[in-house]
Amino acid sequence: MNAPAQSDWAPLPTPMELAFDTREPGAVRVLADLSRVQHSLSSHNIAFRILCDATVIAETNTGDSFGWNYAALSFEGVQIGLSVGVHTVSVQYKTANGTVHFADSDATGNQARRLAVVVMPDHEMTTAHWNNSGTTSESLSPDSWASLPTPMTISFSTTTPEPVVVTAGLSRVQHDLWSQNTAFRILVNGETVIAEQNTADAYNWKYAAPSFHGVASGLEAGSHTAEVQFRTTGGKVSFWGDSSSLSSSGYQSRRLTVHEAGHSQTLTTDSWSNEMSGSSGTWAALPTRMMVTFTIGNDEGAALVMADISRVQHETYGLNTAFRIVTKSVNGYNQMTLAEINTGSAANTDYAAVSFQGVYNGMSPGEYEAEV
């Protein structure tokens, strides 16, 4: 589908909208993914936001997504203190000029959009949001991690030694030097790194919107902290654009969220950091498989599967890489595709950072595998 220029926020031509019913007061996490978002004009961006009823709970931005530089976006919003009843979440967009394309291709991966809502008690959710502008110092050494100009730090408490999922999202990350990247990480209690992500080239209109998550296990009951830090090999990193300085372009936004797994929830996680390469014209496992095994208990259940990959590169300019999440029972039956996303061109320093998620409802008790 195609979406015309909008100077103000508007629904997508095929609306991204989801209704849900809460039976108790509580909190919700709303996760949105869009793949293969393209713009008809170079050096133009597209802003997206999530609304819960009439409240804006998240915003992100594509940067330049012309031609093969199309964007794949993943972002989330949080609403705490939601009342009992039926609510609606939706995704809207705006762009100053031109046309936004949500293109599809059987040969190079489908265009896909997804909305997911996770409902939980308020005490299981802690979140913080920033939308002020800032520019980093040039004094960092290549191996030095540092706080952001306005620190992205959150304090949270755990009531039991259950694991927590920490999710970070940033939009409009820009670098003042071409072919320079910016690395980000999530640090828990000032010492444990639970996730890392990377922008690739984010110069000028190629600014990035990194989204990633990590899991902290073995935390004792009590107070803890989580922080997003950055590093770069030279130059300045900017988090540019507050809500007063941009109209049709969208502003810069950052969010850090901690979700404590409740007693009725289980959490399975794994991570990989080895280099690898491969080629496949049909769907295939990664050279080092990205797979976890999990269990659905005695009652019918649901699974939220979240995947992050950083530094995906292609040897050829103008070619893309498609990814999908599949799940199946351990005996190989009932394979289902939960989600799909796409890198766009990811050659050289334009490598991609991929984040996406999928949901499987109504699962029978048993053992399952989830794989990218």
Side-chain angles (χ1 to χ4, degrees):
M1 65 177 180
N2 297 329
Q6 294 283 347
S7 59
D8 202 359
W9 294 106
L12 275 64
T14 300
M16 278 184 76
E17 187 174 285
L18 179 64
F20 64 97
D21 194 354
T22 56
R23 300 178 182 179
E24 297 179 359
V28 293
R29 287 178 64 200
V30 184
L31 303 99
D33 292 341
L34 301 93
S35 68
R36 299 185 69 95
V37 178
Q38 293 173 276
H39 204 289
S40 64
L41 303 175
S42 63
S43 299
H44 280 71
N45 66 316
I46 310 153
F48 291 91
R49 71 179 184 179
I50 301 173
L51 279 77
C52 182
D53 298 327
T55 302
V56 178
I57 61 172
E59 183 169 338
T60 197
N61 207 297
T62 63
D64 186 2
S65 55
F66 174 70
W68 279 95
N69 287 326
Y70 56 77
L73 292 174
S74 181
F75 67 124
E76 74 166 27
V78 175
Q79 181 83 308
I80 293 177
L82 203 63
S83 61
V84 174
V86 177
H87 304 274
T88 302
V89 293
S90 59
V91 174
Q92 296 181 332
Y93 84 102
K94 64 178 178 179
T95 188
N97 295 290
T99 303
V100 183
H101 302 286
F102 301 86
D104 207 354
S105 171
D106 291 336
T108 55
N110 295 318
Q111 184 278 128
R113 303 181 304 281
R114 176 175 294 277
L115 264 176
V117 175
V118 183
V119 182
M120 68 204 70
D122 276 343
H123 70 266
E124 294 180 4
M125 177 68 67
T126 307
T127 189
H129 174 256
W130 303 264
N131 62 9
N132 56 309
S133 296
T135 302
T136 69
S137 169
E138 294 184 79
S139 61
L140 289 176
S141 66
D143 296 324
S144 297
W145 289 98
S147 300
L148 274 65
T150 299
M152 271 183 81
T153 303
I154 192 170
S155 297
F156 63 98
S157 296
T158 54
T159 56
T160 64
E162 298 288 344
V164 298
V165 181
V166 185
T167 307
L170 304 91
S171 69
R172 300 188 70 96
V173 178
Q174 291 174 278
H175 206 292
D176 71 338
L177 300 178
W178 183 73
S179 295
Q180 295 284 324
N181 66 315
T182 309
F184 293 93
R185 70 177 184 179
I186 300 174
L187 193 67
V188 172
N189 293 334
E191 58 184 10
T192 305
V193 178
I194 63 170
E196 188 170 335
Q197 190 62 287
N198 206 297
T199 65
D201 186 6
Y203 173 68
N204 203 5
W205 279 94
K206 287 186 177 180
Y207 52 78
S211 174
F212 61 120
H213 79 281
V215 174
S217 301
L219 296 177
E220 296 181 356
S223 299
H224 306 277
T225 62
E227 182 181 15
V228 173
Q229 296 183 325
F230 84 104
R231 70 178 181 185
T232 187
T233 57
K236 291 183 179 180
V237 182
S238 298
F239 305 86
W240 179 79
D242 58 33
S243 56
S244 63
S245 63
L246 296 161
S247 55
S248 59
S249 296
Y251 63 87
Q252 184 273 133
S253 177
R254 306 183 302 281
R255 179 176 292 278
L256 188 58
T257 299
V258 178
H259 174 192
E260 181 180 358
H263 293 296
S264 62
Q265 303 167 349
T266 60
L267 182 61
T268 304
T269 184
D270 206 344
S271 62
W272 302 261
S273 59
N274 60 303
E275 294 186 5
M276 59 181 180
S277 60
S279 177
S280 180
T282 58
W283 290 110
L286 274 66
T288 299
R289 295 184 72 177
M290 243 182 113
M291 185 183 72
V292 295
T293 302
F294 63 98
T295 302
I296 297 296
N298 295 328
D299 298 320
E300 188 176 84
L304 169 65
V305 184
M306 304 171 67
D308 294 339
I309 311 172
S310 68
R311 300 187 68 95
V312 179
Q313 290 174 279
H314 204 292
E315 67 177 2
T316 305
Y317 173 77
L319 288 174
N320 65 320
T321 309
F323 294 92
R324 69 178 183 179
I325 298 172
V326 298
T327 187
K328 61 185 178 182
S329 60
V330 293
N331 58 18
Y333 297 120
N334 302 321
Q335 177 167 303
M336 178 179 291
T337 299
L338 302 187
E340 187 171 332
I341 206 162
N342 206 296
T343 64
S345 180
N348 300 319
T349 56
D350 284 335
Y351 55 79
V354 175
S355 295
F356 65 132
Q357 51 81 30
V359 175
Y360 192 172
N361 288 309
M363 301 179 74
S364 301
E367 299 288 323
Y368 292 85
E369 297 173 348
E371 183 171 17
V372 174

